[in-house]
């Protein structure tokens, strides 16, 4: 399907941050753009702001003067919806209210031509519901941009039940022509990103509730070990707890109380207190003058152990970390043990990648008191930090030897309390599980969900590509162990993960 021709008029309704951003992108791509807002001065200010942005891009050498002048000239404020009659595409970016959106599109339907595509930028309302009262619901589609629109590459192209495939394909191709990374999705609660991202917040809130560590410590582990651009607590403070909590509640209610999306009482308390994050000066962190720098837990320096062994079966997952330890001067040799799980032995301490069990439970089940588990690393060769959890039975001498082992390889070592699944592994497993369920339920493809999470929320790796890297068998083991320990349906394993493993027990993957 071809994109709309560049001379096709695009009308944008709403001149707030999203509407003005959409108008800027469409004008930059060569379209004549009509911008409407019920407040005429708001539309005028938006156009002036876009033209000022073009001027700054020229100053920085990112846009030629003639391109900026031409793009700016393509923007025009209209005083009424009637003036949008010539549009081939109308994108709505107004208040998130179903009845208001329905009324707008009902009015537009009597103004625009029969071949005009109607698009909603809704982030949470059913596209099917918005289109339901139109004479021709098949021409309405979701075109969900992310803020700030000019910088964020993702566009979710959302098809309601009635949406014509040709309409969705045209919007997809048009978004692509605008320099975006579009993905197709079905109209389901949260679409792709707002659904699949829930565990990033939910699991960190659970970790805090269970006293795994302070917010600054958990944030540092997700950033430095997991490669996420922002930790979950600083991100929630940035978004605003009123907004984040509202989205979580919306998804939870839309899925009829599915425990996977259960809101957090900790976040509810912040909202009740009015501690909404940066915008109020206090959330999980304090902001403003005299706020102070949050302290990240980090273990004191320990002596470098004399020797380290590799134990268990050969493992591709273990290889990068083993290589880093070898480069640090450890003469790694293989040691036979009763446990076939890949890991390390350091002065009698058994060291394993977390499999969803706590170190304490793992120590009891293996009859080896001196057990330490470490969290998942996005990049074992380059990570600056590693997170450890110590079994309650483990001696402090054995634990300190493990700390010294990792410090000797250049890691800052952070200790989390011994919660099941730790931080990064637990979060990645739940993200992958939710992504797999979205694919299993026909919301989107595996490729689409990975693109969406990387381009929409800047994840360092798509959740299904990450699951491939860790190993689907290990991801399922983590989820199954969490489900057993907590006894909650929250951690049920997606049927698609189990199906993938059943079809290829030793090499199951989402991506070839």
């Amino acid at each position: 399907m071809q994109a709309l021709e560049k001379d096709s008029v695009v009308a944008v309704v709403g001149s707030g941050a999203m509407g003005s951003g959409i108008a800027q992108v469409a004008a930059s791509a060569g379209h004549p753009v009509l911008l409407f807002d019920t407040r005429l001065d708001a539309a005028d200010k938006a156009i002036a702001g876009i033209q000022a942005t073009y001027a700054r891009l020229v100053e920085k050498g990112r846009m030629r003067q003639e391109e900026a002048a031409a793009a700016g000239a393509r923007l025009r404020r209209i005083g009424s919806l009637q003036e949008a009659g010539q549009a081939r595409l109308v994108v709505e970016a107004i208040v998130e209210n179903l009845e208001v959106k329905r009324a707008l599109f009902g009015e537009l339907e009597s103004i625009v031509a029969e071949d005009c595509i109607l698009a909603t930028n809704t982030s949470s309302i059913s596209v099917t519901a918005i289109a339901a009262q139109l004479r021709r619901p098949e021409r309405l589609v979701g075109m969900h941009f992310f803020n700030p629109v000019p910088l964020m590459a993702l566009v979710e192209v959302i098809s309601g039940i009635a949406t014509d495939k040709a309409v969705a394909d045209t919007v997809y191709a048009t978004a692509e022509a605008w320099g975006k990374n579009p993905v197709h999705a079905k109209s389901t609660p949260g679409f792709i990103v707002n659904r699949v991202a829930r565990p990033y917040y939910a699991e960190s809130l659970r970790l805090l509730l269970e006293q795994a560590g302070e917010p600054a410590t958990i944030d540092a582990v997700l950033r430095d070990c997991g490669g996420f651009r922002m930790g979950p607590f600083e991100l929630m403070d940035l978004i605003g707890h009123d907004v984040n909590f509202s989205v979580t509640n919306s998804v939870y209610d839309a899925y009829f109380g599915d425990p996977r999306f259960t809101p957090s009482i900790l976040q509810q308390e912040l909202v009740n207190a009015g501690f909404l994050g940066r915008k109020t000066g206090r959330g999980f962190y304090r902001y403003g003058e005299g706020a102070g720098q949050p302290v990240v837990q980090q273990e004191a320096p320990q002596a470098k152990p004399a020797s380290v062994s590799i134990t268990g079966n050969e493992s591709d997952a273990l290889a990068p970390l083993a290589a880093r330890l070898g480069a640090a001067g450890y003469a790694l040799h293989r040691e036979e043990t009763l446990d076939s799980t890949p890991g390390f032995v350091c002065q009698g301490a058994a060291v394993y990648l977390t499999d969803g069990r706590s170190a304490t439970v793992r120590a009891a089940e293996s009859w080896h008191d001196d057990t330490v588990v470490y969290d998942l690393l996005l990049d074992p060769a380059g990570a600056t930090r590693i997170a450890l959890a110590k079994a309650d039975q483990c001696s402090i001498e054995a634990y300190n030897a493990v700390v010294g082992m990792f410090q000797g390889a250049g890691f800052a070592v952070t200790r989390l309390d011994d919660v099941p699944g730790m931080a990064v592994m637990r979060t990645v497993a739940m993200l992958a599980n939710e992504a797999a369920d979205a694919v299993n339920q026909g919301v989107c493809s595996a490729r689409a969900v990975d693109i969406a999470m990387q381009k929409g929320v800047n994840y360092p790796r798509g959740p299904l590509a990450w699951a491939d890297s860790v190993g689907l068998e290990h991801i399922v083991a983590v989820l199954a162990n969490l489900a057993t320990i907590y006894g909650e349906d929250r951690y049920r394993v997606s049927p698609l993960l189990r199906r993938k493993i059943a079809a290829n027990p030793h090499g199951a993957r989402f991506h070839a």
Side-chain angles (χ1 to χ4, degrees):
M1 182 60 65
Q2 290 186 337
L4 291 175
E5 305 256 342
K6 283 196 175 181
D7 60 359
S8 300
V9 175
V10 174
V12 179
V13 181
S15 64
M18 297 303 292
S20 61
I22 295 166
Q24 178 182 327
V25 169
S28 298
H31 294 275
V33 176
L34 306 176
L35 185 59
F36 174 75
D37 198 296
T38 53
R39 301 161 300 147
L40 298 184
D41 62 327
D44 286 331
K45 287 178 182 177
I47 290 175
I50 294 168
Q51 291 169 337
T53 297
Y54 288 150
R56 286 193 296 272
L57 292 173
V58 171
E59 289 174 7
K60 295 177 181 179
R62 297 178 185 172
M63 197 174 195
R64 296 200 306 271
Q65 179 63 53
E66 56 270 28
E67 290 176 335
R74 285 191 285 268
L75 292 158
R76 180 164 71 89
R77 186 261 289 168
I78 56 176
S80 71
L81 284 178
Q82 295 295 328
E83 296 178 66
Q86 60 188 303
R88 287 288 315 283
L89 169 66
V90 180
V91 185
E92 163 273 311
I94 62 172
V95 64
E96 283 289 271
N97 179 285
L98 174 61
E99 294 309 319
V100 174
K101 290 182 189 293
R102 277 179 168 173
L104 171 65
F105 284 116
E107 186 175 356
L108 283 168
E109 195 172 36
S110 66
I111 295 169
V112 298
E114 288 296 307
D115 63 349
C116 177
I117 294 172
L118 303 178
T120 173
N121 182 55
T122 183
S123 61
S124 59
I125 300 174
S126 164
V127 172
T128 299
I130 293 171
Q133 295 180 1
L134 295 177
R135 285 185 293 102
R136 291 189 54 214
E138 66 273 11
R139 64 167 162 171
L140 188 136
V141 66
M143 196 176 190
H144 181 212
F145 292 83
F146 289 73
N147 195 27
V149 175
L151 299 180
M152 298 300 287
L154 182 67
V155 177
E156 291 180 321
V157 179
I158 314 297
S159 293
I161 288 178
T163 303
D164 189 320
K165 182 179 184 300
V167 167
D169 287 345
T170 298
V171 166
Y172 182 101
T174 300
E176 204 166 40
W178 292 2
K180 298 301 184 182
N181 288 113
V183 292
H184 282 294
K186 282 200 312 190
S187 180
T188 51
F191 308 144
I192 302 175
V193 171
N194 278 334
R195 170 186 177 170
V196 177
R198 295 340 304 160
Y200 190 62
Y201 313 110
E203 292 310 307
S204 62
L205 288 162
R206 272 288 184 98
L207 290 168
L208 184 61
L209 185 66
E210 295 175 21
Q211 304 178 79
E214 293 297 316
T217 295
I218 297 171
D219 275 349
V221 170
L222 269 296
R223 285 194 314 267
D224 300 344
C225 304
F228 291 93
R229 187 169 296 182
M230 294 183 73
F233 298 107
E234 58 186 343
L235 181 54
M236 284 184 277
D237 271 7
L238 178 64
I239 294 168
H241 292 286
D242 51 342
V243 175
N244 190 262
F245 187 62
S246 175
V247 173
T248 299
N249 275 283
S250 173
V251 174
Y252 177 70
D253 291 341
Y255 280 102
F256 307 107
D258 188 328
R260 192 174 284 172
F261 305 110
T262 302
S264 168
I265 58 173
L266 291 180
Q267 192 169 42
Q268 183 178 51
E269 282 292 273
L270 287 177
V271 173
N272 290 343
F275 298 163
L276 306 182
R278 286 182 177 271
K279 60 187 173 186
T280 61
R282 182 172 177 183
F284 285 110
Y285 301 104
R286 292 180 182 268
Y287 300 91
E289 190 175 346
Q293 187 68 27
V295 177
V296 175
Q297 196 283 338
Q298 189 164 308
E299 297 289 62
Q302 300 295 328
K304 188 174 180 178
S307 65
V308 178
S309 305
I310 296 178
T311 182
N313 297 331
E314 296 285 345
S315 169
D316 291 340
L318 198 67
L321 189 53
R324 179 162 172 173
L325 292 171
Y330 295 108
L332 301 175
H333 61 276
R334 182 159 295 281
E335 183 172 324
E336 295 300 325
T337 63
L338 293 177
D339 193 335
S340 62
T341 305
F344 302 98
V345 174
C346 174
Q347 293 186 194
V351 186
Y352 302 109
L353 174 66
T354 177
D355 66 356
R357 291 177 289 174
S358 65
T360 301
V361 167
R362 186 161 192 160
E365 292 179 349
S366 66
W367 298 87
H368 190 98
D369 287 353
D370 290 337
T371 294
V372 176
V373 295
Y374 64 91
D375 208 349
L376 180 64
L377 297 168
L378 172 70
D379 176 20
T384 58
R385 184 181 305 276
I386 193 166
L388 306 180
K390 164 188 170 297
D392 293 346
Q393 310 92 308
C394 182
S395 71
I396 193 62
E397 294 79 14
Y399 172 72
N400 284 341
V402 177
V403 172
M405 176 184 80
F406 285 117
Q407 289 173 337
F411 288 102
V413 176
T414 288
R415 179 177 171 181
L416 296 177
D417 194 44
D418 188 25
V419 295
M422 304 194 72
V424 182
M425 179 65 83
R426 179 165 164 170
T427 298
V428 168
M430 286 294 280
L431 289 170
N433 200 40
E434 199 57 52
D437 251 8
V439 174
N440 193 50
Q441 293 163 10
V443 175
C444 59
S445 68
R447 176 180 174 276
V449 74
D450 277 355
I451 290 173
M453 303 315 291
Q454 287 186 283
K455 301 297 184 180
V457 280
N458 291 314
Y459 283 4
R461 185 178 285 169
L464 297 181
W466 211 336
D468 284 349
S469 176
V470 175
L472 300 193
E473 301 93 335
H474 195 89
I475 293 293
V476 167
V478 169
L479 293 166
N481 284 326
L482 289 170
T484 298
I485 291 166
Y486 286 105
E488 294 181 51
D489 194 46
R490 174 191 186 98
Y491 298 105
R492 67 185 183 273
V493 179
S494 169
L496 185 56
L497 283 170
R498 294 200 184 278
R499 178 178 175 179
K500 289 278 185 183
I501 293 171
N504 190 356
H506 302 296
R509 296 179 63 83
F510 279 95
H511 304 287

